[in-house]
């Protein structure tokens, strides 16, 4: 979680360009959604079907 907060924040403080910070933040959000929502849900569904 700390890395996901630090990357966009660091991008903003170093570059101060929203058009660079926005994609960085979006990539972090997609990564979090993938591995904190989709993967656990798929794992639970797989365990339930066995």
């Amino acid at each position: 979680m700390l890395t996901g907060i630090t990357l966009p924040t660091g991008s903003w403080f170093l570059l101060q360009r929203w058009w660079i910070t926005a994609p960085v933040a979006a990539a972090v959000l997609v990564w979090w959604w993938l591995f904190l929502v989709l993967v656990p849900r798929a794992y639970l569904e797989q365990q339930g079907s066995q």
Side-chain angles (χ1 to χ4, degrees):
M1 296 287 286
L2 185 60
T3 302
I5 295 168
T6 303
L7 283 175
T9 303
S11 170
W12 177 252
F13 282 122
L14 289 174
L15 304 172
Q16 294 189 355
R17 302 281 189 251
W18 69 268
W19 52 272
I20 294 175
T21 302
V24 169
V28 168
L29 290 174
V30 167
W31 184 263
W32 282 351
W33 179 69
L34 178 65
F35 285 101
L36 297 176
V37 177
L38 287 183
V39 170
R41 184 184 305 162
Y43 178 76
L44 289 174
E45 288 176 3
Q46 181 183 17
Q47 293 299 322
S49 65
Q50 290 181 357

